[in-house]
């Protein structure tokens, strides 16, 4: 109704400068408690600069909630997530790498509650063309305010550098995430003797996946009051061929997550130990640290990799949980393509 009657702004805006582009979302009307995936949202295909074609290296990602007049920065308690994605058919056709199309979900990365921004290691980037279409999904969040209705927007910033004779080192993104089984005949029943590792899904339409045996898994589940620990073998999701060199990890977590680890179970080493900080006077994540390394960490096809999540639901109500890692690793095939490129 607000948009139909033109009571609030319904258009995306773009502000391009020499080293960044800022996209401003339409107005989001906050009139209720909105947990993850429940708030007002907007999707948009965007182009950094459609006036020319040149190679750009995406280097940084940032989202801030602002007032509807765009003059005041607000708490990032109102940011559920911003998803940055490429269109894999367009992206890989431009590079003549068509074998990669539909090989994995084409997400570059995410910004979410507890993560306002991050930057790739110095000297590294994700290569796109200036006139290539990207996709942004922005959604609002509100865990705490119940006594008023107000409007916000999201300012979404992508930092980049232009290609030069000394090109950056290309990274390939991938998202890996925890998911657990549930009984499709009784999805909200919880663990059973047949499914001792079962979760209670938030719902069964979205974030439901099917394993190789045809069994449903949920990546969005309910946590009861108190402390809980979850582990998940992510080796299959990583799908490492021979080896990769990992350079960046940024987590997507929900409030009440305390610690999120990625470990090499074969060697017994912890690769990433994310100790997130929750607010103590309200619901929300205050800080979720990223992992970043110029040197990188080697990961191997024949090793077993595990994610471990520790949560503490300090309320007396059921809460929702998701846990994923947006990773970046060296892309040797893309390096060859960049070396051949003539622009």
């Amino acid at each position: 109704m607000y948009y139909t009657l033109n009571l609030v702004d319904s258009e995306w805006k773009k502000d391009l400068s020499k080293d960044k582009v800022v996209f401003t979302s339409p107005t989001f009307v906050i009139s209720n408690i909105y947990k993850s995936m429940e708030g007002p949202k907007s999707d948009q295909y965007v182009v950094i600069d459609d006036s020319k074609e040149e190679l750009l290296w995406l280097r940084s990602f940032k989202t801030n909630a602002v007032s509807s007049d765009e003059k005041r920065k607000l708490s990032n308690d109102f940011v559920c997530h911003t998803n940055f994605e490429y269109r894999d058919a367009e992206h890989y056709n431009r590079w003549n790498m068509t074998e990669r199309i539909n090989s994995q979900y084409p997400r570059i990365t995410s910004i979410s509650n507890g993560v306002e921004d991050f930057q790739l290691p110095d000297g590294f980037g994700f290569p796109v063309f200036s006139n290539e279409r990207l996709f942004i999904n922005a959604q609002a969040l509100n865990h705490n305010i119940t006594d008023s209705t107000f409007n916000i927007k999201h300012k979404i910033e992508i930092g980049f550098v232009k290609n030069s004779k000394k090109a950056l080192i290309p990274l390939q993104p991938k998202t890996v995430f925890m998911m657990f089984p549930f009984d499709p005949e009784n999805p909200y029943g919880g663990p059973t003797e047949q499914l001792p590792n079962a979760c209670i899904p938030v719902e069964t339409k979205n974030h439901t996946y099917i394993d190789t045996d045809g069994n449903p898994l949920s990546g969005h589940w309910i946590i009861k009051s108190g402390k809980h620990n979850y582990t998940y073998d992510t080796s299959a999701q990583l799908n490492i061929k021979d080896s990769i060199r990992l350079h960046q990890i940024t987590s997507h977590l929900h409030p009440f997550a305390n610690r999120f680890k990625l470990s090499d179970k074969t060697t017994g080493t912890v690769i990433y130990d994310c100790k997130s900080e929750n607010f103590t006077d309200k619901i929300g994540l205050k800080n979720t640290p990223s992992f970043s390394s110029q040197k990188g960490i080697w990961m191997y096809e024949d090793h077993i990799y595990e994610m471990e999540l520790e949560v503490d639901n300090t309320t007396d109500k059921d809460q929702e949980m998701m846990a994923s890692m947006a990773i970046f690793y060296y892309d040797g095939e893309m390096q060859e393509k960049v070396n051949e490129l003539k622009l």
Side-chain angles (χ1 to χ4, degrees):
M1 182 182 68
Y2 286 97
Y3 299 116
T4 301
L5 297 177
N6 293 318
L7 298 176
V8 297
D9 181 14
S10 62
E11 301 297 325
W12 283 80
K13 296 192 298 186
K14 181 176 78 171
D15 182 16
L16 176 63
S17 60
K18 68 176 183 177
D19 60 357
K20 66 181 180 181
V21 60
V22 178
F23 297 101
T24 304
S25 75
T27 298
F28 295 138
V29 179
I30 308 299
S31 60
N32 206 338
I33 292 294
Y34 299 119
K35 295 184 179 182
S36 176
M37 312 304 297
E38 295 178 354
K41 63 182 179 180
S42 183
D43 304 333
Q44 182 73 6
Y45 285 105
V46 298
V47 174
I48 295 176
D49 186 358
D50 56 5
S51 67
K52 53 190 171 183
E53 178 177 276
E54 62 179 332
L55 182 61
L56 305 177
W57 294 87
L58 306 189
R59 292 268 305 120
S60 62
F61 306 87
K62 182 178 182 178
T63 297
N64 286 128
V66 297
S67 58
S68 58
D69 61 8
E70 304 175 29
K71 294 181 179 179
R72 292 178 294 114
K73 180 181 175 182
L74 304 178
S75 167
N76 266 26
D77 289 356
F78 304 120
V79 176
C80 178
H81 64 254
T82 308
N83 294 329
F84 302 87
E85 298 173 6
Y86 57 92
R87 300 177 74 253
D88 62 344
E90 177 181 355
H91 182 73
Y92 287 125
N93 265 306
R94 288 183 179 227
W95 293 101
N96 194 24
M97 302 172 76
T98 55
E99 71 283 352
R100 289 192 178 186
I101 296 173
N102 295 325
S103 63
Q104 66 179 41
Y105 193 80
R107 179 159 295 168
I108 302 172
T109 193
S110 292
I111 295 291
S112 58
N113 184 229
V115 184
E116 291 192 3
D117 63 273
F118 76 91
Q119 183 165 310
L120 297 177
D122 288 344
F124 294 83
F126 180 70
V128 301
F129 290 97
S130 57
N131 60 351
E132 177 179 340
R133 282 176 295 176
L134 304 173
F135 181 75
I136 293 177
N137 166 257
Q139 187 162 27
L141 185 76
N142 178 33
H143 278 297
N144 299 288
I145 298 177
T146 60
D147 59 355
S148 60
T149 296
F150 54 98
N151 300 334
I152 68 165
K153 293 184 177 183
H154 287 177
K155 277 195 174 293
I156 300 163
E157 178 183 307
I158 303 176
F160 61 84
V161 298
K162 296 181 179 181
N163 195 46
S164 63
K165 291 183 179 179
K166 188 178 179 181
L168 272 64
I169 299 171
L171 296 178
Q172 183 171 357
K174 176 177 284 191
T175 299
V176 294
F177 52 94
M178 286 186 148
M179 50 184 174
F180 301 99
F182 62 90
D183 182 355
E185 301 300 324
N186 184 24
Y188 306 112
T192 64
E193 290 185 6
Q194 291 74 25
L195 286 174
N197 197 34
C199 70
I200 299 176
V202 173
E203 43 79 32
T204 59
K205 294 181 180 179
N206 299 308
H207 303 101
T208 294
Y209 310 90
I210 304 299
D211 67 15
T212 54
D213 296 322
N215 301 309
L217 306 168
S218 179
H220 192 190
W221 72 97
I222 296 294
I223 57 171
K224 300 290 185 180
S225 297
K227 296 182 178 181
H228 308 275
N229 187 276
Y230 303 92
T231 58
Y232 180 76
D233 185 339
T234 192
S235 306
Q237 279 189 342
L238 286 166
N239 194 28
I240 298 172
K241 305 299 184 185
D242 186 31
S243 62
I244 61 173
R245 194 171 73 232
L246 179 68
H247 290 277
Q248 177 83 30
I249 305 176
T250 299
S251 291
H252 171 92
L253 295 169
H254 286 190
F256 309 106
N258 284 341
R259 195 171 188 178
F260 194 25
K261 293 192 293 185
L262 175 65
S263 299
D264 183 334
K265 300 299 290 184
T266 303
T267 63
T269 58
V270 176
I271 296 171
Y272 170 53
D273 190 354
C274 172
K275 298 177 181 178
S276 55
E277 182 181 1
N278 284 265
F279 288 103
T280 56
D281 57 346
K282 60 183 178 180
I283 295 175
L285 285 167
K286 187 175 183 180
N287 184 40
T288 304
S290 294
F291 163 84
S292 183
S293 170
Q294 283 184 293
K295 181 180 179 181
I297 293 178
W298 284 99
M299 301 174 70
Y300 302 97
E301 181 178 9
D302 59 350
H303 286 210
I304 296 173
Y305 295 95
E306 181 183 80
M307 290 190 287
E308 182 178 358
L309 175 68
E310 298 176 11
V311 304
D312 185 6
N313 178 3
T314 54
T315 74
D316 58 1
K317 299 178 181 179
D318 291 349
Q319 302 292 343
E320 302 173 6
M321 185 55 60
M322 297 176 80
S324 66
M325 296 182 184
I327 70 173
F328 288 87
Y329 55 95
Y330 173 64
D331 192 342
E333 289 181 281
M334 184 62 77
Q335 181 79 74
E336 295 177 3
K337 296 292 184 178
V338 171
N339 292 343
E340 297 169 359
L341 190 64
K342 303 295 182 183
L343 278 180

